[in-house]
Amino acid sequence: MVFFRSVTALSKLRSRLGQQSSLRDSVRWIQTQSSTDLELRSQLAELIPEQQERLKKLKADYGKVQLGNITVDMVIGGMRGMTGLLWETSLLDPDEGIRFRGLSIPECQKVLPAAKPGGEPLPEGLLWLLLTGKVPSKEQVDALSKELRTRAVVPDYVYKAIDALPITAHPMTQFTTGVMALQVESEFQKAYEKGIHKSKYWEPTFEDSLSLIARVPVVAAYIYRRIFKDGKVKQIDDSLDYGANFSHMLGFDDPKVYELMRLYVTIHSDHEGGNVSAHTGHLVASALSDPYLSFAAALNGLAGPLHGLANQEVLLWIKSVVDEVGENATTQQLKDYVWQTLKSGKVKPLTFT
């Protein structure tokens, strides 16, 4: 099973990191939360007005500054190479990998709260870091974890909407259907229909986003169990955190897999703004579509074979390599098979998205 092979890889990663003594002194300075306030919403209520003013000043002072030249290739290539978004939460570097608010993955492992001493960072901690730019305390992370558990209630009609699809429907089709079914409870849509000042858009957006984040693992786990297990909903365990609960609902209750899932969800929580799914979500939200609609659109972008579906496609391609040339293929055989794939007009799947 992929999960358990990944556990071994995780252990090796941590072993290598432990050998890097210089890591202890390499963490960049970043503000650590000193506030005793445990609510993420109240933290944002302080920060967002400041950011709104900051953006106004940025536009006033630099609104006419050119960021580069646009070529025909860029236009035909789907905006490739264009600077088109302001994205502060993460930066993907081709050499050193991704950074979240300036912190690398090993640095996040060092400074973010964990479920146990020396353990993997809790995804709730990275969510706090992404939204506030500050490293939270363990108490703040625990409070956020508890709030997410209370929000993780999925109405029966969501399961019925998914069940209306054939069990053979692709998991991403089922996933998008589940998210769209959740949309009928959108707080943003209700607030907009009643009338709300645009400076307050963030409040119902926050409510929708946090509820969506809480419910997504429940929906995803149900789809997995519908296709591969008994098709029954496995309830959340109130004693577990976000990542561990996802593993639990999938049916994996090994503590090592809990740790794997905490790290897996943490490092996949943000992926810069220029990829298909993140850009799509940003674009759809710009029309004042609520977070459910925007996230569903992003999922549909993610489902494409040149984006998230590449993870599936590469496994199928590797299987075809094994079927064609065997498990002990030579370098030349692999090169020949790659060229055979390309010359057939197919895209060689990538192992990253």
Side-chain angles (χ1 to χ4, degrees):
M1 180 57 90
V2 174
F3 272 153
F4 292 98
R5 289 199 297 270
S6 298
V7 169
T8 302
L10 172 63
S11 299
K12 292 179 179 178
L13 172 63
R14 291 201 64 83
S15 176
R16 290 199 300 272
L17 293 176
Q19 296 170 3
Q20 298 174 7
S21 58
S22 61
L23 176 65
R24 297 169 183 245
D25 302 318
S26 68
V27 177
R28 298 181 180 183
W29 178 89
I30 189 166
Q31 185 174 357
T32 302
Q33 280 283 17
S34 58
S35 171
T36 57
D37 195 335
L38 300 181
E39 287 192 2
L40 179 58
R41 183 187 174 104
S42 60
Q43 294 282 315
L44 293 177
E46 294 180 10
L47 292 171
I48 286 176
E50 297 174 4
Q51 293 300 311
Q52 290 172 335
E53 291 303 315
R54 177 179 171 227
L55 287 174
K56 288 179 183 178
K57 180 173 174 52
L58 179 65
K59 188 175 180 179
D61 293 350
Y62 302 99
K64 304 302 181 183
V65 174
Q66 293 185 355
L67 295 177
N69 297 318
I70 305 299
T71 66
V72 173
D73 281 343
M74 290 178 176
V75 175
I76 295 176
M79 295 180 65
R80 184 179 297 274
M82 291 185 190
T83 300
L85 287 173
L86 177 62
W87 202 270
E88 294 183 293
T89 49
S90 63
L91 179 66
L92 192 60
D93 185 275
D95 296 319
E96 66 174 16
I98 196 165
R99 285 186 176 271
F100 303 106
R101 291 285 188 175
L103 296 178
S104 66
I105 292 174
E107 290 168 351
C108 285
Q109 288 175 302
K110 179 178 175 61
V111 302
L112 290 176
K116 61 181 182 180
E120 297 299 344
L122 292 165
E124 298 92 319
L126 189 71
L127 175 60
W128 191 294
L129 172 66
L130 291 175
L131 291 179
T132 68
K134 302 174 184 178
V135 174
S137 67
K138 182 61 163 60
E139 292 75 20
Q140 288 167 326
V141 168
D142 288 343
L144 179 55
S145 185
K146 182 179 179 180
E147 181 174 2
L148 289 171
R149 287 194 298 271
T150 63
R151 290 174 179 258
V153 178
V154 175
D156 288 340
Y157 59 76
V158 174
Y159 299 118
K160 290 178 181 178
I162 295 170
D163 289 342
L165 296 169
I167 199 169
T168 54
H170 194 279
M172 292 299 285
T173 301
Q174 299 187 47
F175 198 18
T176 306
T177 300
V179 171
M180 287 298 295
L182 286 169
Q183 189 274 339
V184 300
E185 296 189 352
S186 171
E187 294 298 325
F188 182 88
Q189 183 184 34
K190 295 173 186 176
Y192 188 81
E193 289 175 351
K194 291 178 181 178
I196 182 174
H197 192 276
K198 62 182 181 181
S199 66
K200 299 296 182 181
Y201 283 166
W202 76 267
E203 295 178 0
T205 298
F206 172 80
E207 293 299 322
D208 278 354
S209 298
L210 212 59
S211 293
L212 180 57
I213 290 169
R215 294 168 175 173
V216 157
V218 183
V219 174
Y222 175 68
I223 294 167
Y224 172 81
R225 297 185 68 83
R226 180 175 187 248
I227 297 174
F228 299 108
K229 300 288 185 179
D230 55 11
K232 295 180 180 179
V233 178
K234 194 164 186 178
Q235 298 300 320
I236 273 185
D237 185 334
D238 281 337
S239 69
L240 296 176
D241 55 87
Y242 188 84
N245 249 319
F246 185 34
S247 178
H248 165 71
M249 289 185 290
L250 288 170
F252 300 96
D253 282 310
D254 186 326
K256 291 182 179 179
V257 183
Y258 286 176
E259 280 289 271
L260 169 66
M261 190 60 75
R262 288 169 184 136
L263 179 61
Y264 185 86
V265 175
T266 294
I267 65 177
H268 286 81
S269 293
D270 202 44
H271 196 69
E272 210 176 47
N275 64 72
V276 171
S277 54
H279 178 76
T280 299
H282 196 88
L283 178 65
V284 174
S286 72
L288 295 186
S289 298
D290 63 61
Y292 295 96
L293 297 173
S294 302
F295 185 64
L299 286 177
N300 286 326
L302 187 66
L306 294 186
H307 191 21
L309 195 65
N311 295 317
Q312 171 185 306
E313 292 291 301
V314 75
L315 293 175
L316 295 174
W317 186 79
I318 290 173
K319 185 177 183 300
S320 72
V321 173
V322 173
D323 292 342
E324 180 77 18
V325 300
E327 295 183 359
N328 299 311
T330 65
T331 300
Q332 187 57 49
Q333 286 176 312
L334 290 175
K335 286 182 178 179
D336 291 342
Y337 194 80
V338 169
W339 278 112
Q340 179 183 322
T341 301
L342 294 174
K343 289 177 180 179
S344 69
K346 299 177 182 177
V347 176
K348 188 178 87 66
L350 301 176
T351 55
F352 58 89
T353 58

